[in-house]
Amino acid sequence: MNELTILAIAFVVLTLIGVPLFAAVGLTTALALFLIDIPYTLLAQTGYNSLTPFPLLTIPLFVLAGRLMETGGMATRMIGIATKLVGAYRGSMGLVTVFACMLFGALSGSGPATTAAIGSATVPAMKKEGYDVPFAAAITASAGALGSLIPPSNLMIIYGLVSETSIPRLFLAGIIPGFIVTTLLMMTTYLIARRRGYGGGGDPFTWGPFLKAAWEGKWSIGAPVLILGGIYGGIFTPTEAAGVAVFYALFVGLFIYRELTLRKVLEALRFTALLTGILILLTPTLAFGQLTAFYDVPAAVQAGITSITTSPFLVLILIGIFYIFIGTFMESLAQIVLFTAVFLPLVVSLGIDPVLFGIFTVITCEIGFLTPPLGANLTIASRISKISLERISVAVLPFIGAYIVGLIILILFPELTLFLPNWVYGPASVR
């Protein structure tokens, strides 16, 4: 039995018996160091270095900003804007949920946070309109995942750090795919709602009420304009933009909407600490990722896949199937850190842009948010709607299909992803 097989068995066994993921990866990494006689100090050094990059501060800051914007009233205003846009259509509240999640995704950077922020208001509203509860929860879970695709995105930040890809380029690359996936989710919602006879009782769209809602929510709309405009205008870096977003959320919540209280601020800090505690996964997973080079894992994977096909389309399909399967039981952050080092050299050798592969990776992670047993968005939607995870898991299948269709479109037409970053920054040379 070779060393890679031993490590694979050790990791699988540790995971199956319920060892926390960071501990399972850490123990597997320690075993790998022992097998090739490398000092254990590598694990400690990598662990320290993994948490020191300055851009890593972006993640807790964006999570905090998103939570402050949610509790400070911005999420409510965004729902109001979305309602005035699509309130009269069949499945109106479902469409409002998807559209509001897209808007709020430009504030939070997190799929689970977006699900919690928007779903806590729209799921009860859909229940009142007679929506089937699993369907309402499925809309919320799937639309909430847009928080990881619409910039700024925490998963894009992690991918950028691991792959040494420009984070502003990744942010720009997520805009068009974000609109495409949003459209597909809205189409899915509309078709199912029309067949079941949900919604459609809102007021028809007119400019007056919409402009009034937009004016009332101007401070909410101003947040993504400030954040993304500042980054692409060269005023501040993504990390500085996250800090600005926190102060903006505090200012608007305390002095404009006056819905933030000391208790809500403290709760937002607690929420941020709990949610970003997952960054502890970086310590063992980055060390494990470094060890893949010692074991020639990227070369072995490249040889194995290219022996089957050298078509970039088919290679991405194979990787996508693997990512979606892994996402059923592995955290997205760990998935990106562990497997980017394995697959990125392969896709680059086939001429695939690292930015495109980053967006591809994020979308597969979004599907992972929607697949049990781990599915973070499913868990949050289950708590909000007070129904079982099993019922939501069935209802969410059409929306997973929408994500897969969007993924295939972006693989077939890579220029949709690369147009904006190449237009703003110029074409990037493939490494």
Side-chain angles (χ1 to χ4, degrees):
M1 187 180 296
N2 63 36
E3 294 168 339
L4 280 177
T5 304
I6 294 172
L7 294 175
I9 292 173
F11 178 73
V12 171
V13 169
L14 289 168
T15 304
L16 290 177
I17 64 176
V19 176
L21 185 58
F22 79 93
V25 176
L27 290 171
T28 306
T29 303
L31 176 59
L33 292 171
F34 171 77
L35 291 176
I36 56 177
D37 197 26
I38 292 179
Y40 293 113
T41 52
L42 174 68
L43 186 57
Q45 290 170 349
T46 304
Y48 175 79
N49 292 332
S50 68
L51 298 175
T52 55
F54 184 67
L56 205 59
L57 282 172
T58 309
I59 294 176
L61 288 173
F62 271 133
V63 171
L64 177 58
R67 189 65 171 182
L68 291 171
M69 290 173 185
E70 174 196 348
T71 56
M74 290 192 185
T76 305
R77 270 74 177 182
M78 287 188 168
I79 292 172
I81 294 171
T83 301
K84 297 305 178 185
L85 271 175
V86 294
Y89 296 96
R90 179 63 64 187
S92 56
M93 188 51 63
L95 298 178
V96 166
T97 301
V98 177
F99 196 76
C101 283
M102 182 194 73
L103 293 177
F104 194 78
L107 305 178
S108 72
S110 167
T114 301
T115 302
I118 302 301
S120 58
T122 59
V123 168
M126 284 188 276
K127 284 183 181 180
K128 288 180 181 178
E129 291 192 5
Y131 281 67
D132 180 55
V133 178
F135 177 58
I139 295 172
T140 304
S142 56
L146 291 168
S148 295
L149 182 59
I150 302 291
S153 161
N154 294 336
L155 294 184
M156 288 183 195
I157 293 166
I158 293 295
Y159 175 85
L161 291 173
V162 173
S163 65
E164 298 181 354
T165 302
S166 165
I167 293 174
R169 289 185 76 97
L170 287 167
F171 282 179
L172 270 180
I175 293 176
I176 293 178
F179 281 116
I180 291 173
V181 174
T182 299
T183 301
L184 290 170
L185 292 176
M186 294 182 78
M187 288 172 60
T188 304
T189 301
Y190 174 78
L191 291 173
I192 296 175
R194 181 178 180 180
R195 188 178 65 191
R196 298 182 183 179
Y198 297 145
D203 298 326
F205 173 80
T206 54
W207 282 105
F210 169 72
L211 292 175
K212 181 180 178 182
W215 178 254
E216 291 175 353
K218 61 184 178 296
W219 290 97
S220 302
I221 299 173
V225 173
L226 174 66
I227 295 167
L228 299 178
I231 293 172
Y232 300 125
I235 300 172
F236 34 65
T237 66
T239 308
E240 293 166 345
V244 170
V246 171
F247 282 102
Y248 183 88
L250 284 169
F251 174 76
V252 174
L254 290 172
F255 302 110
I256 304 297
Y257 295 152
R258 298 183 180 179
E259 294 185 19
L260 269 184
T261 62
L262 178 60
R263 182 178 178 180
K264 288 182 177 180
V265 172
L266 292 175
E267 190 279 330
L269 290 169
R270 178 178 177 274
F271 176 86
T272 302
L274 292 174
L275 193 62
T276 56
I278 196 176
L279 291 177
I280 194 175
L281 279 170
L282 286 176
T283 296
T285 49
L286 278 176
F288 191 81
Q290 288 183 351
L291 285 175
T292 60
F294 288 101
Y295 285 94
D296 292 326
V297 173
V301 169
Q302 183 170 341
I305 293 181
T306 53
S307 66
I308 301 172
T309 179
T310 56
S311 164
F313 174 78
L314 293 178
V315 167
L316 285 177
I317 292 294
L318 290 174
I319 295 173
I321 292 170
F322 174 79
Y323 272 168
I324 292 170
F325 170 73
I326 287 293
T328 60
F329 61 88
M330 181 176 287
E331 290 284 355
S332 298
L333 186 148
Q335 181 179 328
I336 290 174
V337 175
L338 279 176
F339 297 111
T340 296
V342 174
F343 291 117
L344 186 59
L346 166 62
V347 298
V348 169
S349 71
L350 296 174
I352 298 170
D353 194 297
V355 171
L356 173 63
F357 188 64
I359 302 303
F360 166 89
T361 300
V362 168
I363 295 177
T364 58
C365 288
E366 288 183 311
I367 296 173
F369 287 144
L370 306 176
T371 50
L374 188 62
N377 284 20
L378 291 185
T379 303
I380 292 171
S382 174
R383 291 174 182 172
I384 292 171
S385 58
K386 297 182 174 135
I387 61 171
S388 68
L389 198 65
E390 290 78 11
R391 295 180 68 191
I392 301 178
S393 299
V394 175
V396 84
L397 290 175
F399 299 98
I400 292 177
Y403 273 100
I404 292 174
V405 170
L407 191 64
I408 293 173
I409 290 173
L410 297 174
I411 294 173
L412 289 173
F413 305 101
E415 60 273 13
L416 292 173
T417 301
L418 300 175
F419 169 72
L420 283 178
N422 289 346
W423 179 57
V424 174
Y425 296 109
S429 57
V430 178
R431 290 173 288 179

